[in-house]
Amino acid sequence: MSFASLNLISPLLQALSAAGYEEPTPIQARAIPVVLSGRDLMACAQTGTGKTAAFLLPALQRLEERKAAPGRGPRVLILTPTRELATQVKDAAVLYASQLRHIRIGAIVGGVPYPAQQKLLMRPLDVLVATPGRFIDHMERGRIDFARLEIVILDEADRMLDMGFLPDVERIIKAAPATRQTVMFSATFEGSVAGFASRLLTDAERIRIEPTQMQSEQITQHVHYASDTAQKKAMLLALLNEAAMGQAIVFTGTKHGADRLATAIGHSGHAAAALHGDMRQGARNRTLAEFRSGAVRVLVATDVAARGIDVASISHVFNYDLPRSAEDYVHRIGRTGRAGQSGAAVSFALRDERAALKRIERFTGRPILPVPVPGFPLIEVPAEVRGRAAPTHPTKRGAGAGKGPARHRPSGRPGNGPRAGRPGGSRRPEAG
Ligand code: AMP
């Protein structure tokens, strides 16, 4: 299978070859023909599978093949849950469109001033990548021209729904012309995602890349049981000293926990930084740039802040705190083992978190083997120990490992931009 056999036009093939992509990934092989045909698509695939190119390449090709209507509004709108992901999708679009002429690409995200975005929206645009909150702000001010909109793409739709963006996303899609093509990528078809898709997509083709296919075989997974939090921290610091460690992301359950742990890792002699949603956008961008350049070796992050991070040299993902859902686990470990590299996913768990791990194993279909950390005693975990809060459904959030604040936002929409100053301190979810 080659990109040329998917009938991609030569400027796209040239850009792919310059990017070093030799052949399509499974999701690309299956999604590209569907999107090129103009059909609605519901694709189940997650980060690390090459999903971004799976929707961008055919969308760019459709722009080339069809004549643009007069006007200035975007012809392709891509909605993403977080600012980081929006920026990455935009960068990917710029890369894939590098050999196309006259394709104008922009991004509209929260946390940055409005005037530059207003200017961007006043000029003709072809591809717009946006987070829903800030997009709606502009929409409410009458700054979005929907007349030319041909394709709406929802990236990581499950996460957008999780974060409470559902009403915003639905309003945006309903404002688009009825003739639009709607493409939805999600890590799961379960729960409210399916209902959402059936309301907004028409006669959609469904593609599912099974979890075992989605996870790189290159990622080894294991768990270290610890007697308490202090031991977890000591184990992590010991592992960070190992020679085989390249760059690492350490996931914590809370923003405060991320700050504290980054400080502790820094004190132990590693270049470490925290990344979470309480940081200003400028600081987040700087931290990410330092991580990309290698100046920061260990990034301590919360789930939402780390979405979409694509750094090929990440050798280890540490789940310092277990994720709240099995899907979050898959997203987290997808940060390593990227683009054919090998990687390790290392979880820490207390004895009563065994049930949460079991759920993750059921969800991914792959075992997470307990192994000791050299120099620490092996903690025996009886096979039948049940977690304190062992939900039966892998996607139910907040009921998982029982750590950290609940992620659900009871009402309203996640703050994104100027409305971000809500009460609730660290208990609020992070928005993109
Ligand atoms: P994504 O799942 O879209 O986040 O992509 C994961 C990573 O794979 C990114 O670093 C892409 O640049 C890379 N990638 C996507 N498609 C291909 C391909 N066909 N060949 C090689 N690398 C790819």
Side-chain angles (χ1 to χ4, degrees):
M1 170 71 75
S2 67
F3 281 111
S5 69
L6 293 172
N7 294 324
L8 290 177
I9 53 179
S10 69
L12 293 175
L13 295 176
Q14 284 162 22
L16 290 170
S17 140
Y21 296 8
E22 283 167 8
E23 55 180 43
T25 64
I27 188 66
Q28 289 163 3
R30 294 183 58 194
I32 288 172
V34 179
V35 181
L36 279 180
S37 77
R39 277 191 72 176
D40 281 5
L41 170 68
M42 162 88 202
C44 192
Q46 45 203 271
T47 184
T49 55
K51 67 181 170 63
T52 315
F55 59 74
L56 279 176
L57 293 169
L60 288 168
Q61 179 148 332
R62 298 231 352 128
L63 291 186
E64 283 292 292
E65 288 174 348
R66 292 146 57 104
K67 207 167 144 36
R72 60 185 167 83
R75 297 175 65 196
V76 174
L77 172 65
I78 302 161
L79 297 173
T80 73
T82 65
R83 301 163 194 174
E84 281 78 13
L85 185 60
T87 308
Q88 283 193 11
V89 170
K90 190 198 106 187
D91 292 346
V94 169
L95 176 73
Y96 303 142
S98 61
Q99 305 301 316
L100 296 170
R101 271 182 290 168
H102 316 304
I103 295 281
R104 289 146 307 193
I105 299 164
I108 295 279
V109 297
V112 293
Y114 279 74
Q117 297 186 346
Q118 273 163 248
K119 254 197 194 148
L120 177 77
L121 290 170
M122 271 151 47
R123 290 194 297 262
L125 257 180
D126 296 298
V127 178
L128 180 62
V129 190
T131 47
R134 180 59 71 92
F135 187 85
I136 284 268
D137 284 343
H138 287 288
M139 199 174 130
E140 281 169 353
R141 291 165 205 203
R143 294 197 195 112
I144 310 286
D145 174 1
F146 283 94
R148 302 199 318 156
L149 191 54
E150 295 165 45
I151 310 179
V152 179
I153 299 168
L154 309 182
D155 191 11
E156 302 198 353
D158 56 320
R159 183 53 63 109
M160 286 200 275
L161 305 195
D162 260 4
M163 289 172 69
F165 283 130
L166 176 90
D168 283 353
V169 172
E170 208 155 341
R171 262 181 72 196
I172 294 168
I173 296 188
K174 289 195 168 141
T179 51
R180 69 171 190 268
Q181 180 182 10
T182 314
V183 172
M184 183 158 154
F185 274 71
S186 176
T188 173
F189 281 154
E190 286 173 29
S192 44
V193 181
F196 182 70
S198 67
R199 281 200 302 283
L200 298 171
L201 275 58
T202 310
D203 186 28
E205 174 89 25
R206 285 183 166 228
I207 295 176
R208 189 186 177 90
I209 300 290
E210 292 304 324
T212 43
Q213 279 173 270
M214 294 194 280
Q215 271 180 47
S216 165
E217 295 300 321
Q218 320 255 28
I219 303 176
T220 60
Q221 303 179 50
H222 46 248
V223 55
H224 301 304
Y225 280 100
S227 55
D228 54 27
T229 313
Q231 196 180 57
K232 256 189 353 183
K233 194 194 281 179
M235 286 174 164
L236 172 68
L237 294 178
L239 292 172
L240 288 176
N241 283 327
E242 285 188 359
M245 262 267 315
Q247 281 186 288
I249 297 195
V250 181
F251 283 96
T252 60
T254 64
K255 301 165 191 171
H256 191 53
D259 280 331
R260 270 189 321 222
L261 191 59
T263 306
I265 295 171
H267 284 156
S268 78
H270 301 284
L275 185 77
H276 58 68
D278 274 355
M279 293 162 60
R280 299 177 85 91
Q281 189 62 34
R284 283 162 78 165
N285 291 345
R286 263 196 308 282
T287 300
L288 269 178
E290 284 169 0
F291 189 54
R292 280 211 176 87
S293 75
V296 163
R297 178 161 161 254
V298 184
L299 189 69
V300 187
T302 55
D303 284 286
V304 172
R307 293 280 293 199
I309 292 180
D310 182 8
V311 177
S313 51
I314 297 173
S315 67
H316 286 67
V317 168
F318 290 101
N319 295 308
Y320 183 75
D321 294 322
L322 286 181
R324 295 179 191 91
S325 75
E327 286 158 22
D328 279 341
Y329 177 86
V330 175
H331 277 288
R332 284 181 178 189
I333 76 168
R335 305 288 116 226
T336 184
R338 291 173 88 78
Q341 310 250 6
S342 63
V346 180
S347 300
F348 295 99
L350 302 179
R351 210 179 290 210
D352 63 358
E353 290 177 317
R354 185 177 158 73
L357 273 164
K358 279 269 148 223
R359 265 195 343 271
I360 293 169
E361 288 180 330
R362 275 201 302 276
F363 183 71
T364 62
R366 292 184 58 192
I368 306 172
L369 297 178
V371 292
V373 177
F376 290 84
L378 177 64
I379 306 244
E380 295 290 341
V381 181
E384 285 311 306
V385 168
R386 301 220 164 221
R388 271 177 306 205
T392 48
H393 195 278
T395 62
K396 262 221 161 80
R397 286 177 187 277
K403 282 185 183 290
R407 286 267 284 283
H408 270 306
R409 186 177 167 80
S411 64
R413 67 171 184 216
N416 197 16
R419 292 193 184 81
R422 316 152 288 262
S426 64
R427 289 191 65 82
R428 67 178 165 74
E430 295 170 63

